[in-house]
Amino acid sequence: MKRYNDNFPREINDQFRGNVIDNARMSQEDREVLYNMVKEYRQSKKSSDIKHGNSTVEKEIKKLNNRVKNQIIGANGNATAEVKDMRVDTQGNLHELAQDRLNEDFGRIDDIASTAKQTAEKLETQMNTGAYYNEVSHFRGRKFDTTYYITHIPHLDSQGNIIKLKRGLYGNNPNKPAHMTPSDFARKTKATFVSNASTGSGSQLKLHGQQLFEGQILDSVKGDEYPALNDRWTLAIGDDNTLTSFPPDVQASEIRNKGYNNTVSGFGPIISDGKIIVKDGDYSPNTIVSHPRQVIAQLPNKDLIFFSCDGRENNTHTMVEKGMTLQEVAETLLDHYDIQFAYNMDGGGSTASVVRSHKLNRSMDENKTTERKVLDFLYVGKEGVQLRDQDMQNAYQDIGEVRDMVQEVRGMLYSLRRISGKEFGITGYDQYTGFLSYDDEGNPKKKIYMGNEGFRLFDYETSSTWLRIVPEYIQFMGKALAVNYSAPPTVTDLNNIELGGAYHAAANAKGSPYPNVSSCIVTQYNVTYSLKNDDVTSFQMAIPFARSSTYKMKRRVYAQGAWSQWFDV
């Protein structure tokens, strides 16, 4: 690119004149180039194409024009004008009047505020609403030598909605429901509360009696197949949780026609209209027997009550429970509530009340180590819990599983306490291992122990060993038991037998009554001591094996440290 001359001589001469002329010509050429560029740009470009920040020159000019047009003049007409886009709303739309623009913006702001309020209320509700019904409560009591558990389910939740009692079956075919434990059902459904419900046949995977599930009549075991069902009533559950019962001769179709869509087959009502109605022998001979029980009840305001107790042990030890009769269950319920109606469901080992994946009672199978599987359930639970609630439900499940493990350990301890034939190992044996039993005050009563001296049973009240077992003999109450086997042990020295008992002696045995002639059976009795020594008095009888009338039975006595001769008997 050609540059202007800037190295002029000091004198004004021809060189100086030439530099000025050259620069002037260059300036003229540059002027013509710039003029042509501007001319070309004016012909080909629009103001809308000229960028100004994030806008264009044309838009900015238009905006300035509109602001000038919409300026608000001061009160005196001469004051400084306040420039505002009074007719342009927040979306950029131009209105005829500023009031129209303000109405539009205020309406839009009100909609946004209403949406924000609804969102805030929804979030607040969600924050105050958990994965479970917090309105459901439970407590434990004890009566009739039995611990019982009561779960209270209000008719309405804190929002005024019905806490719906649901009938639970698991699997794809209600006529062949899956056999599972109430705890597993609670974990699968995330239910707040789960109870076992109907009696049924585990081998056939069929429920008993008149069965309705969500309006469907189920294939079930009837009285002609299982006559005991002919004495049992059916529990019906209304869509509003109303409970009632129907006599054994009322069919499922009749119950459905009366507006009920779900039923349970248990045993029968025990309270009606606030009064105990169950009598000895109603529904089953077990009415008057102490058993684990599962009962559903209802208050006049339609609140639901579930009652569970364990039992069958006929003893009041802290690890076991006596159980209750139906009369005792009814009395216990009326101790706490104004019960309007109560119905006895399946009990025994099936008894289960599970709250937030936590089984309250302890009825178990397999020596109290395994929860029994059942065919159907009654439960309450929320629909569509939030993602954040899943962590809470998982935490409750973990707690429930830990309690199940504790229950299993308890069952093992129960089995150890109640059942023989099980191995129980104790480590750290060092010449002594013992088991002690104490009374309620902590005083030792009996002790079984093992050591270098063998096995012993010791009584603290008499300060004596009742039983002692060593390789050489067994001692009971201080006296050694005689040796008496169906095949008597063989001895070679009849003069030094320590224990009383029956022995076989060869003909060549030392002290034989038939030396080198006949073997024999010798019976020894120690008269003054259990074990023979120099101070004991002993007696021996001998019977020969020889087949001859020549050899007779013989006897002899040990006294003062020596045996007498053998005498014929």
Side-chain angles (χ1 to χ4, degrees):
M1 183 178 185
K2 193 173 180 181
R3 296 176 57 85
Y4 287 93
N5 294 317
D6 56 3
N7 188 17
F8 288 84
R10 293 182 181 273
E11 298 85 5
I12 299 177
N13 53 25
D14 291 340
Q15 183 182 353
F16 185 93
R17 180 174 176 273
N19 289 341
V20 170
I21 293 173
D22 288 340
N23 286 346
R25 290 175 178 172
M26 290 176 58
S27 177
Q28 181 64 29
E29 291 176 358
D30 291 340
R31 178 179 177 279
E32 291 178 356
V33 171
L34 291 174
Y35 177 79
N36 292 332
M37 290 177 62
V38 170
K39 183 179 179 181
E40 180 181 357
Y41 189 83
R42 286 177 175 175
Q43 293 175 349
S44 61
K45 297 292 184 181
K46 298 179 180 178
S47 61
S48 60
D49 295 328
I50 303 174
K51 299 296 182 180
H52 179 78
N54 295 327
S55 183
T56 65
V57 171
E58 182 179 9
K59 289 182 179 180
E60 292 301 312
I61 292 173
K62 183 178 180 180
K63 185 184 296 183
L64 289 172
N65 288 335
N66 284 336
R67 294 185 69 182
V68 172
K69 290 178 182 179
N70 290 287
Q71 64 183 340
I72 301 174
I73 307 300
N76 58 9
N78 298 320
T80 303
E82 179 184 358
V83 180
K84 289 192 175 181
D85 301 324
M86 286 298 296
R87 294 188 296 144
V88 180
D89 63 25
T90 56
Q91 302 299 311
N93 302 315
L94 181 62
H95 298 267
E96 291 185 2
L97 300 175
Q99 182 64 41
D100 296 339
R101 172 253 176 170
L102 291 174
N103 289 339
E104 181 73 18
D105 281 344
F106 287 155
R108 186 174 293 110
I109 292 171
D110 184 64
D111 291 342
I112 294 173
S114 297
T115 302
K117 183 175 182 294
Q118 293 173 2
T119 302
E121 290 175 348
K122 181 178 179 180
L123 290 174
E124 183 179 4
T125 300
Q126 291 178 343
M127 289 296 293
N128 295 328
T129 303
Y132 300 108
Y133 283 112
N134 293 327
E135 298 84 355
V136 175
S137 61
H138 62 88
F139 63 90
R140 180 176 63 179
R142 188 168 180 84
K143 191 173 183 178
F144 301 115
D145 295 329
T146 303
T147 301
Y148 60 87
Y149 304 86
I150 289 180
T151 303
H152 184 174
I153 303 174
H155 184 56
L156 303 177
D157 64 15
S158 58
Q159 306 299 317
N161 301 314
I162 293 179
I163 301 179
K164 175 67 177 173
L165 179 64
K166 304 173 185 178
R167 176 88 189 280
L169 297 173
Y170 204 80
N172 297 323
N173 184 1
N175 290 301
K176 291 284 185 181
H179 215 197
M180 65 191 311
T181 68
S183 292
D184 282 341
F185 183 83
R187 294 179 185 118
K188 290 180 181 297
T189 58
K190 312 293 186 183
T192 301
F193 173 82
V194 173
S195 166
N196 66 296
S198 300
T199 60
S201 171
S203 60
Q204 300 180 61
L205 293 182
K206 281 187 177 183
L207 296 165
H208 285 163
Q210 305 301 322
Q211 291 288 337
L212 285 172
F213 176 65
E214 297 180 355
Q216 176 184 353
I217 299 177
L218 302 182
D219 179 22
S220 58
V221 179
K222 301 297 194 304
D224 55 348
E225 196 174 344
Y226 183 40
L229 298 176
N230 294 323
D231 296 322
R232 299 181 185 177
W233 290 48
T234 302
L235 173 69
I237 305 167
D239 292 340
D240 64 347
N241 288 356
T242 298
L243 302 181
T244 189
S245 59
F246 291 91
D249 58 343
V250 179
Q251 303 299 305
S253 57
E254 299 177 66
I255 298 175
R256 185 174 60 182
N257 290 339
K258 293 181 181 294
Y260 294 94
N261 293 310
N262 290 282
T263 61
V264 167
S265 66
F267 290 86
I270 63 174
I271 296 175
S272 181
D273 294 327
K275 298 179 181 179
I276 299 175
I277 62 170
V278 65
K279 298 180 177 60
D280 292 352
D282 279 354
Y283 322 126
S284 167
N286 287 334
T287 299
I288 59 174
V289 180
S290 297
H291 275 301
R293 301 290 183 181
Q294 188 74 357
V295 170
I296 183 173
Q298 191 161 52
L299 307 185
N301 65 355
K302 294 188 180 180
D303 285 6
L304 296 172
I305 304 296
F306 282 86
F307 175 98
S308 297
C309 74
D310 300 326
R312 284 184 175 160
E313 309 306 336
N314 297 318
N315 121 15
T316 58
H317 189 278
T318 55
M319 286 186 67
V320 291
E321 305 287 342
K322 181 179 73 68
M324 292 189 186
T325 66
L326 290 187
Q327 176 75 26
E328 291 171 339
V329 171
E331 291 178 16
T332 304
L333 281 169
L334 291 173
D335 285 345
H336 295 284
Y337 297 99
D338 178 19
I339 300 293
Q340 181 72 17
F341 172 84
Y343 179 91
N344 181 40
M345 298 189 294
D346 189 19
S350 300
T351 301
S353 283
V354 182
V355 178
R356 301 179 186 90
S357 298
H358 167 203
K359 187 168 181 283
L360 300 180
N361 64 301
R362 296 173 173 174
S363 289
M364 304 283 273
D365 282 344
E366 300 296 329
N367 297 321
K368 297 190 178 297
T369 59
T370 303
E371 186 177 352
R372 179 178 293 183
K373 295 179 179 180
V374 297
L375 294 173
D376 71 333
F377 313 89
L378 292 177
Y379 73 104
V380 296
K382 292 188 174 181
E383 302 290 344
V385 297
Q386 305 168 66
L387 290 176
R388 67 176 177 84
D389 292 331
Q390 294 183 5
D391 290 336
M392 181 183 298
Q393 290 175 329
N394 291 336
Y396 273 106
Q397 289 181 15
D398 292 342
I399 293 171
E401 289 174 1
V402 170
R403 190 180 189 280
D404 289 346
M405 288 187 286
V406 172
Q407 172 61 39
E408 185 175 359
V409 172
R410 175 190 175 275
M412 292 177 180
L413 293 174
Y414 171 85
S415 300
L416 175 66
R417 177 179 176 272
R418 302 284 292 181
I419 301 175
S420 62
K422 301 274 186 173
E423 290 187 356
F424 185 81
I426 298 180
T427 60
Y429 175 82
D430 185 14
Q431 300 181 355
Y432 173 85
T433 297
F435 295 89
L436 279 79
S437 63
Y438 297 86
D439 60 17
D440 292 339
E441 285 73 37
N443 301 311
K445 305 300 290 183
K446 299 288 189 296
K447 177 171 68 173
I448 299 174
Y449 65 98
M450 294 146 279
N452 290 341
E453 296 182 355
F455 175 94
R456 294 192 183 193
L457 172 61
F458 183 81
D459 177 66
Y460 280 88
E461 290 186 0
T462 60
S463 297
S464 62
T465 297
W466 285 6
L467 180 67
R468 180 185 178 194
I469 302 175
V470 295
E472 296 80 14
Y473 60 89
I474 298 175
Q475 188 180 58
F476 177 71
M477 302 304 290
K479 294 183 177 294
L481 301 182
V483 176
N484 192 11
Y485 298 101
S486 60
T490 299
V491 295
T492 59
D493 186 355
L494 291 176
N495 295 333
N496 291 289
I497 296 176
E498 187 174 18
L499 284 172
Y503 300 90
H504 170 260
N508 60 355
K510 186 177 181 178
S512 171
Y514 315 103
N516 300 316
V517 174
S518 175
S519 60
C520 61
I521 294 296
V522 174
T523 303
Q524 176 172 309
Y525 300 92
N526 295 330
V527 179
T528 52
Y529 292 95
S530 295
L531 304 178
K532 178 182 172 297
N533 54 40
D534 290 343
D535 297 324
V536 77
T537 298
S538 297
F539 178 82
Q540 287 184 346
M541 290 281 296
I543 302 174
F545 275 125
R547 297 181 180 181
S548 171
S549 60
T550 304
Y551 301 101
K552 301 182 181 297
M553 292 178 56
K554 294 182 179 291
R555 62 176 178 82
R556 67 174 180 171
V557 175
Y558 180 87
Q560 299 179 355
W563 282 104
S564 68
Q565 66 181 23
W566 288 99
F567 298 96
D568 289 341
V569 175

